[in-house]
Amino acid sequence: MPHPEQHDRQGLTGRRILITRSADRAQPLVSLLNNLGAAPLVLPLIDFERAKDQATLDAVLDRLATGGFDWLVISSITSAKVLLEKAAERGTTPAGLVPAATRVAAIGPSSVKVLESIGLSVHLAPTERQSADGLVELWEPAPERVLLPQADIAAPGLREGLAAKGADVTSVIAYHTVDYPARAELRLRAELPDVVVLSGNGVPPTLSPAEARSALDTGTLDAVVAASPSAARRIAESLLPLGTCRLIAIGRPTAAEASRLGLTVAAVAKDPTPDGIVAALETVFANEGNPQ
């Protein structure tokens, strides 16, 4: 039986796909789309800044380093970057900041790869339902102490789901989600190892907002990919009308937010991976033929 990621790639040749991430964060998807004959472009809509309340963040990391938590839950790649940056400030590594007895959980393969690349072993992560809900489903009920560093706009579902399983959850703002670009003095400085970025095919073209608007008005963009609910909100604020461009949402929370905003979602990527996004794009374009 073929692996679910070993699907036929159809209908993507020549398709202009707009990815609403910065070039470095979009690179794995860009590489795959290039290999399939598509023409990916990027338009960064959101960015990330260090937490305003560094004292509270430092206090919980002190507690983490001294064995005060049974679990560290990393729910985004940006949270991993914060961990890397805070460890460097202390003259150590993430592995030096997280005691060996503290187990680490993540919400999907991308986060697992990132955490392993910075020296942390992941003890729990969903493989099918790769989301906060998927992690909650796997979580064994127990009164364990959990540290959950998140964005300022993180939905409460993960924190509440773990608490409902009996966990004593300490949730802390690790970073702020802002409109692109972040202020230079507040932008997260940590760079993840190259192992987490797929190589090949160069740097994708980056559009300005005006160029994206022109492409939408002339119908030369085939799809736009929203990677998060905050990206869906920025699309609604700055890119409407989409015209003939189809919206692809990564995950059910992003799709739900897009629908709430009145956006039409053409397809939902069930897995937050390049292959999952490509599978969603295929459901839209496979039967339409390639653009001329």
Side-chain angles (χ1 to χ4, degrees):
M1 183 175 180
H3 190 278
E5 291 183 353
Q6 294 174 341
H7 43 65
D8 292 333
R9 270 59 185 272
Q10 301 176 3
L12 295 184
T13 300
R15 295 291 180 183
R16 286 164 53 88
I17 311 298
L18 184 64
I19 306 166
T20 55
R21 283 177 166 171
S22 59
D24 57 339
R25 294 172 66 86
Q27 189 61 56
L29 177 57
V30 165
S31 293
L32 180 56
L33 288 172
N34 274 327
N35 289 337
L36 298 173
L41 309 104
V42 298
L43 173 67
L45 292 181
I46 60 173
D47 209 344
F48 308 99
E49 294 181 349
R50 292 191 297 277
K52 296 174 184 175
D53 186 356
Q54 287 289 306
T56 297
L57 179 58
D58 284 332
V60 295
L61 291 177
D62 288 342
R63 184 177 163 194
L64 172 69
T66 55
F69 293 99
D70 303 301
W71 283 92
L72 170 64
V73 176
I74 298 296
S75 58
S76 72
I77 291 174
T78 307
S79 289
K81 291 184 71 171
V82 171
L83 192 66
L84 186 63
E85 183 170 292
K86 298 303 288 185
E89 286 179 5
R90 295 162 182 244
T92 187
T93 64
L97 186 60
V98 181
T102 301
R103 289 163 289 176
V104 178
I107 63 170
S110 296
S111 294
V112 170
K113 185 183 292 186
V114 167
L115 291 169
E116 290 177 343
S117 77
I118 61 175
L120 294 176
S121 297
V122 177
H123 301 82
L124 184 68
T127 56
E128 294 185 4
R129 194 177 180 188
Q130 298 167 14
S131 64
D133 289 342
L135 179 59
V136 171
E137 287 178 358
L138 289 179
W139 198 268
E140 292 292 334
E144 296 182 298
R145 302 162 300 170
V146 176
L147 175 57
L148 177 61
Q150 291 185 296
D152 58 322
I153 60 171
L158 181 54
R159 172 176 49 82
E160 293 174 352
L162 295 176
K165 290 286 188 80
D168 176 10
V169 182
T170 297
S171 178
V172 63
I173 294 175
Y175 60 93
H176 296 277
T177 303
V178 298
D179 291 349
Y180 185 90
R183 290 169 288 183
E185 68 275 16
L186 295 177
R187 179 178 283 117
L188 291 174
R189 297 184 301 271
E191 294 293 336
L192 296 170
D194 290 341
V195 69
V196 304
V197 178
L198 298 183
S199 61
N201 297 325
V203 177
T206 298
L207 300 186
S208 67
E211 290 169 333
R213 179 72 267 151
S214 177
L216 288 166
D217 289 342
T218 56
T220 57
L221 284 178
D222 296 293
V224 57
V225 177
S228 64
S230 55
R233 288 190 288 272
R234 289 287 291 122
I235 288 170
E237 292 166 1
S238 62
L239 291 183
L240 297 185
L242 294 180
T244 59
C245 180
R246 268 64 69 90
L247 176 65
I248 309 298
I250 301 180
R252 292 187 299 176
T254 302
E257 179 66 3
S259 297
R260 186 189 71 79
L261 294 166
L263 303 175
T264 299
V265 179
V268 179
K270 296 179 181 179
D271 297 330
T273 62
D275 274 290
I277 298 164
V278 164
L281 287 164
E282 286 181 336
T283 66
V284 175
F285 297 120
N287 297 319
E288 294 187 7
N290 300 123
Q292 301 299 318

